[in-house]
Amino acid sequence: MRILFLILALLFASLSTTPAHAQSNETPDDESPKVKIRLLPERTGVQPGEELWIGIDQSITQGWHTYWKNPGDSGTPLSISWTNPNVKAGPLHWPTPHKIAYEPLINYGYKDELVILQKLKLPEDLPTHLPVTLTANIEILVCKETCIPEYGVYSLTLNDPDTRLEDNSAFIDKARQSLPQSAAWATSFNQLDQDLVLKLNPPAEILKTINLASIELFPEDWGLISNPAKAQAFIQDGVLIIKQTRGERPLKEIKQTSAILAFETNDGAYAAYRFTATQSANETVQQTTSSLDKASGLNFLTAALFALLGGLILNLMPCVFPVLSIKALSLVKISEKHPDLARLHGLSYTAGVILSFLFIAGALITLQAGGAQIGWGFQLQNPWIVGILGYLLFIIGLNLIGFFEFANPFGNTGSKLTQNQGLPGSFFTGILATLIA
């Protein structure tokens, strides 16, 4: 028993540590920067008062990531401030981000390599015959299992005779290609029930290329949508309509917003467009969403057929099929002498299955109505649940090999209920089959 207690203590001590997906600000032993940054001007020879594109080139250590301007459910985007007086900095131009999962959260960010662009307006008194150094303070958050804020002072030199002919325009042009295309589409948005509904009017030649199932929405305003939710889309009368579960931010705070629409084309290419949308009247959204539900939702017959197919597949699983076969053989034996009784046993078993599923569905619907983003199987994406189940199975394994026995009055309750020879036995066997499934 002392050995058992030692094993269990070690296992539960490991469970008490931080889950792998948790993000903290602890600094690991390796103090080397996780993001290497350099500033590259479009060209090094410039004139006073000129506008100049700057590339903020990032090389991110493998396995780590940084964040987009809207980081999603957690994180902080890069910030840059130029220290030179009279240098006017324009907005940052961000590449299209990717979704980074930290179950149950979704963040928006980048891995490996990226370039953020910014346009500078140089001072009118900029000397042309002497080297000029521009300096910027950059702060960035980089995350893996832990998050590390990194700070740095970076500089670039202009009008240096030794580098005056340096031209980085090809590098800047390549970085510009990774930016979402600017789309001046007529676009509106509003909320209906718990969903955000967007109406976009892209040109017909773009509309016909969109793979609707691949659409992803990246809003620049936080809290506009539930980031883990999947976007639904359909086309009606030449209008692209997108619906996604709303986020926690009140819509009255957002009268106009910009976002990126990313998708795969029908031939497998990747495309992204940045658009600006204005909040519309509720009446328009209600009409639109009614059409959306009709176009994108499954009708009852289709849903029932998919449910039947799923049930057939589930019944063939090794965790369920033995229970079904035992029950089927039991019904065959009863039907040889009492066909009507066998029918009653079958109905009782069916009632146990259906009522169990109704209970589970009711619990999930109640939780969803209360605002929880949850579905059946969601718990198995939680490392705490998976860890606890692993330890539970380990303890059960020790019990099954006789290492120790559970002695309590409830230990055989389930077996007694299902082995009852009457109709209650069939009913509880149906419940058992559901739980096992």
Side-chain angles (χ1 to χ4, degrees):
M1 289 303 292
R2 285 198 300 269
I3 296 174
L4 171 63
F5 289 144
L6 178 60
I7 293 172
L8 292 179
L10 290 173
L11 288 173
F12 282 100
S14 68
L15 180 61
S16 65
T17 59
T18 304
H21 72 279
Q23 299 185 6
S24 70
N25 289 327
E26 297 176 2
T27 303
D29 296 335
D30 184 3
E31 297 291 342
S32 61
K34 302 303 177 187
V35 183
K36 295 180 180 179
I37 297 177
R38 59 176 181 160
L39 300 177
L40 286 177
E42 187 174 9
R43 57 190 176 280
T44 56
V46 296
Q47 296 298 320
E50 188 176 355
E51 290 188 337
L52 181 70
W53 281 102
I54 303 294
I56 307 169
D57 183 33
Q58 300 178 40
S59 179
I60 307 169
T61 301
Q62 186 174 8
W64 294 75
H65 64 268
T66 60
Y67 293 94
W68 185 49
K69 63 188 304 182
N70 171 13
D73 289 323
S74 65
T76 303
L78 172 144
S79 66
I80 179 170
S81 60
W82 295 89
T83 61
N84 303 75
N86 302 323
V87 171
K88 297 180 180 178
L92 297 176
H93 297 261
W94 302 78
T96 303
H98 302 283
K99 290 185 176 181
I100 301 172
Y102 275 98
E103 299 292 354
L105 308 178
I106 290 291
N107 297 328
Y108 302 141
Y110 309 97
K111 298 179 180 180
D112 302 326
E113 306 281 341
L114 77 141
V115 180
I116 298 174
L117 297 179
Q118 187 177 36
K119 184 179 284 186
L120 300 183
K121 178 73 164 57
L122 301 177
E124 296 292 343
D125 58 353
L126 183 82
T128 58
H129 59 285
L130 294 173
V132 177
T133 299
L134 302 184
T135 304
N137 295 318
I138 296 179
E139 178 180 349
I140 192 169
L141 185 69
V142 57
C143 297
K144 191 179 180 182
E145 285 86 3
T146 59
C147 285
I148 305 173
E150 295 186 347
Y151 309 87
V153 179
Y154 301 86
S155 61
L156 58 89
T157 301
L158 304 173
N159 291 339
D160 187 335
D162 295 334
T163 60
R164 188 172 179 81
L165 298 180
E166 185 175 324
D167 187 347
N168 299 311
S169 57
F171 175 85
I172 298 296
D173 288 341
K174 183 178 179 181
R176 195 177 285 115
Q177 293 173 8
S178 67
L179 301 178
Q181 299 181 56
S182 181
W185 305 336
T187 307
S188 62
F189 72 93
N190 213 312
Q191 178 175 341
L192 184 66
D193 297 328
Q194 300 300 315
D195 296 317
L196 180 82
V197 178
L198 275 163
K199 293 180 64 179
L200 302 96
N201 291 268
E205 59 269 19
I206 294 178
L207 198 61
K208 65 183 181 182
T209 67
I210 299 176
N211 178 351
L212 296 178
S214 69
I215 280 181
E216 290 184 325
L217 193 63
F218 299 99
E220 294 184 3
D221 284 298
W222 70 269
L224 186 63
I225 61 172
S226 171
N227 301 312
K230 173 66 177 174
Q232 302 176 49
F234 85 108
I235 297 172
Q236 182 185 36
D237 299 328
V239 177
L240 175 62
I241 301 172
I242 301 173
K243 183 173 76 168
Q244 188 161 339
T245 306
R246 277 276 290 120
E248 68 275 16
R249 189 173 175 186
L251 207 59
K252 62 183 180 182
E253 297 181 5
I254 309 173
K255 298 302 180 184
Q256 190 176 70
T257 188
S258 295
I260 294 176
L261 175 69
F263 58 88
E264 290 182 3
T265 61
N266 293 325
D267 57 4
Y270 186 78
Y273 293 87
R274 182 179 182 270
F275 63 89
T276 299
T278 304
Q279 191 171 159
S280 65
N282 281 324
E283 294 78 10
T284 304
V285 176
Q286 289 171 358
Q287 295 170 2
T288 298
T289 306
S290 176
S291 301
L292 175 63
D293 292 337
K294 292 178 182 177
S296 63
L298 295 174
N299 60 43
F300 178 79
L301 180 59
T302 305
L305 288 173
F306 275 115
L308 178 62
L309 177 61
L312 291 173
I313 295 172
L314 179 62
N315 287 335
L316 294 175
M317 295 296 101
C319 57
V320 178
F321 191 73
V323 178
L324 297 180
S325 61
I326 291 171
K327 194 60 198 174
L329 291 173
S330 162
L331 293 176
V332 168
K333 285 186 177 181
I334 297 173
S335 65
E336 291 175 352
K337 297 181 179 180
H338 307 284
D340 292 337
L341 183 59
R343 196 172 293 110
L344 288 175
H345 275 276
L347 292 174
S348 180
Y349 173 82
T350 303
V353 173
I354 293 176
L355 288 177
S356 299
F357 272 111
L358 287 176
F359 175 79
I360 293 170
L364 292 176
I365 291 170
T366 301
L367 291 171
Q368 290 172 348
Q373 297 294 325
I374 192 170
W376 186 245
F378 192 86
Q379 70 279 1
L380 294 180
Q381 299 175 16
N382 186 308
W384 283 97
I385 299 294
V386 174
I388 290 171
L389 287 176
Y391 297 139
L392 176 63
L393 291 176
F394 174 74
I395 293 171
I396 291 174
L398 293 178
N399 171 249
L400 292 176
I401 63 175
F403 203 90
F404 61 87
E405 297 291 337
F406 290 112
N408 63 74
F410 306 104
N412 205 33
T413 302
S415 177
K416 291 177 181 177
L417 289 172
T418 58
Q419 290 177 6
N420 189 307
Q421 297 300 314
L423 296 179
S426 296
F427 178 81
F428 285 109
T429 303
I431 294 177
L432 175 64
T434 306
L435 291 176
I436 293 175

